[in-house]
Amino acid sequence: MKAAITATAKYLPDSILSNHDLEKILDTSDEWIRTRTGIRERRILRDPEKATSFLCTEVARRIIEKRGIAADEIDLIIVATMTPDMIFPSTACLVQRNVQATNAWAFDLSGACSGFLYALNTGAQFIVAGTHKKVLVIGGEKMSAVMDYTDRNTCVLFGDGAAGVLLEPARDEQHGLLDAKLQADGEGSEHLYMLGGGSRCPASQETVENGMHFLRQDGRQVFKSAVTQMADTAEEIMRRNGLSSEDIGYLVPHQANYRIIQATAERMGIDMRKVAVNIDRYGNTSAATIPICIAELDEEGKLPPGSNLVLVSFGAGYTWGGIYLKWQ
Ligand code: UT7
């Protein structure tokens, strides 16, 4: 048995933070951000009372409504996030309560920007095993909560948002998730991290004073690895599934930098018209970028049954990977 995506939804907060807004608070320019990253604006969840679980709950509600199911039909909820409401309980448990998915178990998955692909493949295993019929997989982030808005190297890149999919048994063996290659290399952990707030550096006056509750990144280092690994993975997924560039409906890459997306597409020999891109509007929403792209393609009617999608990601850990699926 294969697992297929049977419903999608996204939720983006209304408030826009544009490059021009950032020009007013930082030594940066719209021109620099656009040409180096492809980002024009990002969304910010400004209400301090609302966190990642709010974004993910909206996604869960929309998926339940779209699919026309009852919340208690859901067997499992996985939330991929690196900005959970709190370290525990999990954000997935908060979503489970909010939508009253009373028969679901729920957990968070920490895979940073590759979190959604990790979660999608994990969720699919429960369908393949035949033990679960409906698995909700959501990627959601309130990245603004871990941004240092005095650090132009990082804060221009990230935004808030969430999206997700419902996984159910595919109609046949030829549809749904057909291949996955997921990887990790902890040697990359020193290049993209948030030191404070965990068991190594619990919150203290010192961690606050030293800005340790913010995301830090060696952009140049991460860029090089991201280009190599995303392109290599996409190429391998194509090779081992006998896919030519003509066979692919859409490449859905993680949205960290337009130049990384272009390099991946180039290596696959795919025209940019067949690449999902929304980094200009949302920036990097970490675990949410890929499901937001899928939800938009779905909303726009760009996924007829039989479309081949290749999803690829790279993020903190390092974590990276690719998934090949055929839309049903
Ligand atoms: O999603 C998780 C994975 N993350 C990624 O894949 C991100 C990968 N990295 C990147 O996308 C890029 O490395 C960045 C967009 C973060 C940076 O672009 P870059 O072309 O690698 O720039 P750089 O870091 O080499 O910096 C070039 C210059 C530096 O100035 P100097 O040292 O040459 O004088 C930076 O200080 O640009 C400067 N700079 C900025 N200038 C204006 C860095 N950030 C900014 C900024 N505005 N916001």
Side-chain angles (χ1 to χ4, degrees):
M1 189 161 4
K2 296 279 193 283
I5 293 174
T6 56
T8 66
K10 70 176 199 297
Y11 181 84
L12 278 307
D14 292 332
S15 183
I16 292 172
L17 179 67
S18 71
N19 292 350
H20 295 295
D21 295 330
L22 287 167
E23 279 177 344
K24 292 177 198 147
I25 58 166
L26 282 170
D27 178 17
T28 189
S29 67
D30 171 55
E31 209 257 333
W32 189 95
I33 303 172
R34 267 191 298 104
T35 54
R36 309 295 273 209
T37 71
I39 302 167
R40 288 173 187 274
E41 59 188 41
R42 65 288 294 138
R43 300 297 179 93
I44 303 293
L45 181 58
R46 295 206 187 264
D47 185 344
E49 299 293 315
K50 290 178 175 156
T52 299
S53 67
F54 167 77
L55 302 170
C56 296
T57 298
E58 291 301 315
V59 169
R61 287 205 174 109
R62 289 172 186 201
I63 288 177
I64 289 166
E65 198 189 313
K66 270 193 183 171
R67 186 68 181 132
I69 57 169
D72 64 8
E73 289 179 55
I74 297 168
D75 301 307
L76 165 63
I77 300 173
I78 310 177
V79 172
T81 187
M82 59 192 245
T83 51
D85 288 30
M86 16 183 178
I87 290 185
F88 69 89
S90 71
T91 300
C93 279
L94 304 178
V95 174
Q96 181 272 341
R97 173 199 63 191
N98 293 347
V99 301
Q100 289 292 295
T102 47
N103 290 313
W105 60 298
F107 65 90
D108 286 0
L109 191 152
S110 170
C113 295
S114 301
F116 182 75
L117 293 199
Y118 273 32
L120 190 63
N121 196 42
T122 302
Q125 303 310 313
F126 294 96
I127 303 281
V128 170
T131 55
H132 294 53
K133 294 276 176 269
K134 289 181 172 53
V135 177
L136 200 48
V137 180
I138 300 172
E141 307 278 9
K142 186 180 178 183
M143 296 302 292
S144 59
V146 296
M147 282 302 114
D148 176 354
Y149 284 99
T150 65
D151 177 11
R152 68 178 187 175
N153 290 296
T154 51
C155 77
V156 305
L157 304 173
F158 294 91
D160 302 338
V165 302
L166 184 68
L167 288 174
E168 295 184 77
R171 68 160 65 107
D172 57 38
E173 286 292 305
Q174 281 72 51
H175 290 84
L177 267 72
L178 300 181
D179 191 20
K181 180 171 172 55
L182 300 170
Q183 291 183 261
D185 180 6
E187 297 293 343
S189 57
E190 66 201 57
H191 302 306
L192 181 47
Y193 56 84
M194 189 174 82
L195 264 184
S199 56
R200 179 165 153 204
C201 303
S204 67
Q205 194 168 338
E206 191 201 339
T207 62
V208 172
E209 279 168 5
N210 292 330
M212 289 158 72
H213 299 280
F214 296 126
L215 174 150
R216 301 292 176 201
Q217 172 174 244
D218 177 347
R220 222 173 287 191
Q221 196 68 38
V222 177
F223 185 94
K224 278 190 263 171
S225 302
V227 166
T228 309
Q229 303 298 9
M230 280 178 57
D232 282 359
T233 304
E235 205 174 41
E236 185 172 348
I237 290 274
M238 286 175 76
R239 188 182 45 74
R240 69 189 201 183
N241 292 287
L243 294 168
S244 72
S245 53
E246 285 78 44
D247 297 329
I248 294 171
Y250 277 95
L251 164 67
V252 184
H254 172 50
Q255 312 277 306
N257 188 315
Y258 187 71
R259 291 181 289 145
I260 300 175
I261 297 171
Q262 259 180 328
T264 307
E266 214 164 277
R267 179 90 82 82
M268 294 169 77
I270 283 194
D271 191 288
M272 281 306 288
R273 277 173 300 190
K274 292 209 294 183
V275 182
V277 177
N278 58 25
I279 188 170
D280 51 324
R281 288 174 286 140
Y282 308 133
N284 183 347
T285 55
S286 183
T289 64
I290 289 177
I292 292 173
C293 285
I294 296 174
E296 290 194 330
L297 290 173
D298 192 21
E299 282 163 15
E300 291 162 13
K302 290 179 173 166
L303 300 174
S307 300
N308 289 314
L309 298 188
V310 175
L311 324 176
V312 276
S313 69
F314 186 88
Y318 292 142
T319 55
W320 70 96
I323 285 180
Y324 163 43
L325 65 89
K326 195 184 278 288
W327 204 256
Q328 74 166 35

